[in-house]
Amino acid sequence: MSDATKVLQTGVDTGDGSTYPQPVVVVDAAGNPIDLTKANGAAITSVTAVALAAGAAPTASLADGVLTLGIPAGAKGGNGDPGPAGKNGAPGAAGVGVKSISLTKNSDNAITGGTWVGTDDKSHAFTVA
């Protein structure tokens, strides 16, 4: 591998947040390494990048003057810090309180129900079982 090939490197994630450099070897269509100082008589006329899955080995090939680089996606990062607290919501509708309660008793003097009047002045009947 020539010095020019060694310069082309990618970082490999070690899983602990650090990376180490890994050389990328440029190969021809037959898989033979290409010395970038000579390019085996082929001139690089354009470069194309191809996305690879996270953890895949990086790739590079040179065919018909097109240098194609396969670049692996990074590993998924952890969750970030929680964001700031949101604003308070709008006040809710006014509630209804109890203004008065009238109880109904049966002949045995047991409470069987009644009526309550709310602060909205509406009357509501209820039963006691």
Side-chain angles (χ1 to χ4, degrees):
M1 181 179 339
S2 73
D3 288 339
T5 302
K6 290 179 188 174
V7 171
L8 185 61
Q9 296 182 355
T10 185
V12 176
D13 187 358
T14 62
D16 64 1
S18 63
T19 60
Y20 65 89
Q22 177 176 338
V24 175
V25 178
V26 178
V27 296
D28 62 17
N32 301 313
I34 297 172
D35 184 342
L36 293 179
T37 59
K38 297 180 184 136
N40 293 339
I44 297 174
T45 58
S46 65
V47 178
T48 302
V50 176
L52 301 176
T59 61
S61 63
L62 179 60
D64 299 324
V66 178
L67 175 61
T68 303
L69 301 173
I71 303 172
K76 179 167 174 23
N79 291 337
D81 294 332
K87 295 179 182 179
N88 288 339
V96 176
V98 177
K99 193 178 201 180
S100 66
I101 299 175
S102 300
L103 300 175
T104 306
K105 297 179 184 179
N106 65 11
S107 60
D108 294 332
N109 215 22
I111 297 173
T112 58
T115 304
W116 66 274
V117 177
T119 53
D120 60 356
D121 292 325
K122 292 182 181 177
S123 181
H124 307 275
F126 65 90
T127 58
V128 176

